[in-house]
Amino acid sequence: MTADTLTAEHPTPARPRRHRYAVGLIALVAAAVYSLLGLVKLHTFRASTFDLVIVDQAVRNYSRFRPPYIPVVGGWHERGMDYLQIVDHFSPIYALLAPFYWVHDGPGSLIVAQALLFAAAIPFLWMFTRRVLGVPPAYLVSLAYALSWPIAQAVAFDAHEVMFVPLLTAIMIERYHAGRALPAFLAMGALLLVKEDMGLMVIGFGLYLFVVGDRFRGACCALIGVAGIMLTRGAVIPMLGGDTADFWAYNHLGPDLPGALLGILRDPLGTLLLPFSEAAKVDTLILLAWPTLLLCLLSPLSLVALPHVLERMLSDRELWWQADFQYSAFTVVILFCAGVDGLTRLRRWLRRDDLTPVWSAAVLVVALTLVPRFALDQLYQPDFYKGDQAKIAAASEAVAMVPDGVVVEAGNSFGPALTRRATVLLFTGKAHDAPWIVADTSRWEFPFGSADEQRAQVEERVARGYTKVFDRDGVVVLRR
């Protein structure tokens, strides 16, 4: 079976210009909404050093034709100021964002770029759905994606390499389905430049191709995915000074890959049950499938997402299981496309063409019902735009005291306001002897366990010779 004989049941008509404008408008409105959410958080000191400053430092260096150093992570791991982003996560694709910094140098550019990239997947999802189900369902599914909870959670939490994945997976699936193999495989190859584990998604795409009958290309894709993982994790990252142990999150299975494989062989049933071993895992798995009314599970396209989902659910890192962060945005487009394909299979089995309008409307309704549970809910809450006014005023005055061009240890919420004009390190229990420190002693901030720990750390720095030059509403500035 090839792309031309998949589940497309509608011929591809010439796309009317009015649909181009309508789909473009949906994408632009979505990008504006995503930008608004991220920019409000940035300007009200609710963005975070980990991870917005990390990406900002890398892209700024790319924009100035320098290696993508990320001092904030180098300081965190105690590996030096010249620590490379492609060692922390292999994401050379960030270099494509450099032109945004030629227009505006600062983390706000990342937020807007991320919003545009997430929204750019909409036209390809629309074309795929239009080809399979028709025009009205294409609009409903596209709107459901625009409102989807994985995208909402990603745009609400700084900026991450996942911003490229919905667009690339949408191109990969839609162009292959349209019989345009070259752009599909180029998009697939670009995934390997997004993150060191994206070879898993390439393997998943190979599995899908093999199942639908395109066996030779499926096997080639799977081999490319394996080679990509081995090359980045086994050669490039160690060669550049990285530690592959940073990526190992399966110590409950074994100390390394061979040990984990032996652990799986010793207890295969336990391994099969591991993705369902915690309530948070089950909750996330249900939330991933529910936006398509579970029909994504009827499509072999779900195989594209399977390796990445298993990477999360088999790990020992609790944050990976959660629905609260950006991780689910890696697979959201794949599962929507799988839902569309799953519906066509269900229609054939039941011989019920009338399921299409019901399902596509229900998909949008489900997306709407999930909005209040996730980050887009903030946009219609007036308090979201105000923030803590006293804290914002104190924070603004505090960061203004830090001179340009210095190294500053900043609390997690202050780094994004300083990174444009200073070298930001995260304020932690580790002393980096930076000449300036900005901290918050009144509320918890990552990576401390409590506000009391932060106050104790500030007092310890004062005892070691720092001078407190600002202290208001819990916001403190220290100068060495």
Side-chain angles (χ1 to χ4, degrees):
M1 186 181 293
T2 65
D4 296 321
T5 59
L6 295 178
T7 58
E9 298 180 2
H10 292 260
T12 305
R15 183 169 55 183
R17 183 168 296 179
R18 62 186 176 88
H19 290 314
R20 296 184 185 181
Y21 291 148
V23 175
L25 180 61
I26 293 171
L28 285 175
V29 170
V33 170
Y34 303 155
S35 297
L36 177 64
L37 181 59
L39 291 173
V40 168
K41 296 193 75 170
L42 174 64
H43 292 295
T44 54
F45 291 87
R46 283 176 281 181
S48 57
T49 297
F50 269 41
D51 296 321
L52 188 57
V53 171
I54 297 172
V55 184
D56 171 80
Q57 290 178 341
V59 176
R60 177 173 294 104
N61 279 310
Y62 277 127
S63 72
R64 297 176 182 178
F65 303 100
R66 297 192 299 236
Y69 298 125
I70 46 173
V72 65
V73 180
W76 171 262
H77 289 304
E78 297 183 324
R79 295 174 186 171
M81 301 278 279
D82 57 352
Y83 192 69
L84 291 167
Q85 191 282 321
I86 53 175
V87 169
D88 180 51
H89 285 302
F90 186 75
S91 307
I93 200 167
Y94 277 139
L96 297 178
L97 301 182
F100 284 89
Y101 273 57
W102 301 338
V103 177
H104 176 266
D105 185 338
S109 294
L110 288 178
I111 290 169
V112 173
Q114 176 172 260
L116 291 169
L117 284 165
F118 279 140
I122 290 173
F124 293 95
L125 178 60
W126 186 91
M127 288 190 291
F128 176 84
T129 308
R130 183 271 323 262
R131 188 181 305 116
V132 176
L133 300 179
V135 171
Y139 281 108
L140 295 173
V141 172
S142 297
L143 288 170
Y145 163 82
L147 295 169
S148 65
W149 70 267
I151 299 299
Q153 295 308 103
V155 298
F157 180 32
D158 299 336
H160 300 88
E161 65 283 329
V162 71
M163 69 177 79
F164 296 96
V165 176
L167 174 59
L168 291 175
T169 52
I171 293 172
M172 180 177 72
I173 293 170
E174 189 279 328
R175 289 290 81 191
Y176 180 79
H177 187 258
R180 304 294 182 86
L182 180 59
F185 290 120
L186 288 175
M188 183 199 74
L191 283 171
L192 297 174
L193 305 178
V194 173
K195 198 177 178 185
E196 68 283 345
D197 63 351
M198 284 294 95
L200 292 173
M201 199 164 284
V202 174
I203 293 170
F205 188 58
L207 292 174
Y208 162 70
L209 296 184
F210 194 88
V211 166
V212 299
D214 197 351
R215 292 186 174 85
F216 176 74
R217 287 194 288 195
C220 290
C221 289
L223 289 174
I224 290 170
V226 171
I229 294 172
M230 293 178 64
L231 182 63
T232 53
R233 289 188 173 181
V236 175
I237 290 174
M239 180 180 66
L240 295 175
D243 186 348
T244 54
D246 293 342
F247 305 106
W248 187 250
Y250 308 93
N251 288 307
H252 56 304
L253 296 175
D256 49 28
L257 182 57
L261 292 175
L262 287 174
I264 291 171
L265 291 173
R266 282 194 296 265
D267 187 12
L269 180 59
T271 303
L272 286 173
L273 295 176
L274 198 56
F276 312 100
S277 60
E278 300 285 344
K281 294 181 181 182
V282 175
D283 189 41
T284 298
L285 290 171
I286 292 172
L287 282 168
L288 285 170
W290 179 237
T292 66
L293 303 181
L294 308 184
L295 293 194
C296 60
L297 302 178
L298 300 180
S299 171
L301 272 170
S302 291
L303 291 171
V304 185
L306 181 62
H308 189 268
V309 172
L310 288 177
E311 179 192 31
R312 294 174 61 188
M313 299 304 159
L314 293 174
S315 76
D316 58 13
R317 297 186 183 179
E318 187 173 350
L319 292 181
W320 289 11
W321 315 335
Q322 307 291 332
D324 296 331
F325 303 103
Q326 76 277 12
Y327 304 110
S328 297
F330 282 97
T331 52
V332 60
V333 163
I334 300 167
L335 295 178
F336 268 112
C337 291
V340 170
D341 182 52
L343 175 64
T344 64
R345 296 170 187 275
L346 183 64
R347 288 191 321 182
R348 284 203 303 269
W349 297 337
L350 299 180
R351 298 181 180 178
R352 291 281 303 274
D353 290 340
D354 58 340
L355 292 176
T356 298
V358 176
W359 178 84
S360 53
V363 163
L364 179 56
V365 170
V366 168
L368 289 168
T369 62
L370 290 174
V371 165
R373 180 173 171 179
F374 293 99
L376 293 182
D377 174 69
Q378 299 172 93
L379 292 171
Y380 49 82
Q381 306 292 342
D383 289 344
F384 171 68
Y385 300 94
K386 298 176 184 177
D388 185 336
Q389 292 296 307
K391 185 70 70 175
I392 292 169
S396 298
E397 188 173 344
V399 298
M401 297 185 68
V402 179
D404 293 354
V406 301
V407 177
V408 54
E409 292 180 54
N412 198 40
S413 61
F414 303 117
L418 289 161
T419 184
R420 183 179 180 184
R421 57 186 184 82
T423 300
V424 172
L425 306 178
L426 185 65
F427 178 61
T428 68
K430 304 172 185 176
H432 299 289
D433 295 324
W436 291 85
I437 295 173
V438 183
D440 192 338
T441 61
S442 66
R443 61 181 178 181
W444 172 84
E445 288 217 320
F446 175 82
F448 293 97
S450 67
D452 290 338
E453 288 186 19
Q454 292 157 214
R455 282 191 291 272
Q457 189 60 221
V458 167
E459 295 308 316
E460 181 181 330
R461 301 297 180 92
V462 170
R464 291 171 54 187
Y466 281 85
T467 301
K468 191 177 293 185
V469 296
F470 181 87
D471 187 352
R472 198 176 87 205
D473 290 312
V475 180
V476 176
V477 179
L478 305 179
R479 182 176 65 190
R480 191 180 62 192

